[in-house]
Structure formats: structure tokens, C-alpha cells
Amino acid sequence: MVPVVQKAGAAEIETTTSVIARAFADDPVAMWIFGSPELFQKALRILMKDVYLPRGFVTQVENKGASMWLPPGASNDLTLWALLRFISSIVPGAGFDPILRSLKAADRMDSLKPKEPFLYLFAIGVDPSAQGQGLGSLLIKDGLRLADAEGMPAYLESSKRENIPLYERHGFEVVEEARIADDAPQFWPMLRQPRS
């Protein structure tokens, strides 16, 4: 049976964020910011609930893969209430350093985003046990259909060099090589022009 990409809602917050956190367990940038998949998942829960569900969309495939997208013009900023929940969920276990690094990361990444409107792929992940089966490509293609239908570019930041060829197969091109801070790992902003 061919896997099907489905929209995720509030009932899927736990499963989708868990899948992405497991996929990012060895991600250099996510681990530089948060230090552990558990803390990263806490951040993802708040972002999904307060940003990506109300302002964008989240997709999943077979509870083994998930992606989080924002349409052009949608802000990924947390409301004050969500920011307070974010801080209170992270600080007791890890102190303020992950908060400061995540704010620095958001500022740096925002500064590199294209000026033109674009569809933003914030996060995509496939459970390590299901990688290599094409689920990531299914999730990417599903979002890119919207970008192509609207004639808009798509944009992402690859935080692992090994993932760049996957994104390139779907038409993304590296814009530059960047860092959040001098002591942070590299990441690669990537842009894809729409296809007709």
C-alpha cells in the first residue's frame, strides 16, 4: 500500500513532534541549541500548537514522518503567552542557555530569509527506523505542490550537510553557508523556484 500524506491537527501534536525530535536527535544545529531531543520536542510542541497549526500546516505520513510549513507572510513569532510557556518548559531542566541560543538562531535565520514571498519548510523529519523509504520525499512533494500551484518559491534551512542532496533532488539550491554564532555548527539556507 502506498503511504499517504495527511494533515495533522491538535490530536497529533505528540506523535508528529516525537517523530521530528527523533529524526533530529543527531542534528548538529538542533542539538547545539537544545542539547537533547527531549528539549527539542518540548519546543516543537509549543511551535506546532501556537504557530504551525494556526498559521500554517503540519503534515504526517504513517506516524513515521512529519513536516511543518508556513505560507508567505505568516509569522513564526511566538505570542507572549506561548513564549512564557516555552521558557517555563525549558528553563527548569536546562537553564536559560537553550532559550538564548534559540532566540539567537531565530534572529540569524530570519536575517537570511528571502525578501520575496515564499513557502517555508521549517522542519521535516522521518523516524530513523523508517528513513530511506521515500517518506521524506513524499512530505516534501506534498508541500511543494502548493508552492507550484501558487507560483511561489519554497525555502528551508538544511542543518545537516548530508540532507542537502535530498533537497536538491526536489529543486532546492543552496543559497549560502551560514552559522548562528562562531561556536555553532553550519547550516545551509536553500531556495527552490516554482515549477509550472
Side-chain angles (χ1 to χ4, degrees):
M1 189 167 157
V2 177
V4 177
V5 176
Q6 299 176 318
K7 290 280 171 87
E12 288 78 39
I13 287 176
E14 192 61 32
T15 55
T16 54
T17 60
S18 176
V19 162
I20 294 173
R22 286 194 304 276
F24 276 72
D26 65 347
D27 183 89
V29 174
M31 293 308 101
W32 179 82
I33 295 169
F34 293 102
S36 74
E38 294 77 21
L39 281 183
F40 183 53
Q41 185 178 358
K42 287 182 180 186
L44 287 172
R45 284 184 193 118
I46 292 168
L47 286 167
M48 184 171 169
K49 179 178 185 291
D50 291 278
V51 175
Y52 289 89
L53 287 179
R55 301 178 206 162
F57 59 97
V58 179
T59 58
Q60 63 179 355
V61 60
E62 295 188 340
N63 291 327
K64 296 177 183 175
S67 60
M68 301 167 78
W69 303 78
L70 277 183
S75 169
N76 61 355
D77 292 338
L78 293 173
T79 63
L80 178 58
W81 176 242
L83 182 59
L84 291 173
R85 285 192 358 263
F86 175 65
I87 292 169
S88 68
S89 70
I90 302 292
V91 170
F96 280 98
D97 286 345
I99 303 295
L100 298 174
R101 286 192 295 268
S102 66
L103 294 173
K104 186 181 283 190
D107 284 346
R108 177 68 173 134
M109 290 178 176
D110 284 348
S111 76
L112 298 172
K113 288 179 180 168
K115 303 301 179 224
E116 63 187 313
F118 59 90
L119 180 67
Y120 179 48
L121 175 52
F122 166 69
I124 182 169
V126 173
D127 190 280
S129 68
Q131 290 176 3
Q133 300 173 18
L135 301 181
S137 286
L138 281 175
L139 290 162
I140 293 170
K141 287 177 187 176
D142 186 71
L144 293 180
R145 273 195 287 279
L146 172 62
D148 290 342
E150 298 293 326
M152 74 177 91
Y155 178 79
L156 60 82
E157 298 102 0
S158 179
S159 48
K160 286 180 78 173
R161 185 184 302 272
E162 307 88 78
N163 291 342
I164 291 174
L166 168 66
Y167 300 130
E168 287 176 334
R169 283 196 300 275
H170 294 283
F172 286 91
E173 296 179 1
V174 172
V175 176
E176 66 181 286
E177 189 174 278
R179 293 179 188 273
I180 296 163
D182 290 343
D183 65 334
Q186 298 167 327
F187 69 95
W188 295 266
M190 300 185 74
L191 185 65
R192 177 192 182 269
Q193 295 301 328
R195 296 177 176 174
S196 51

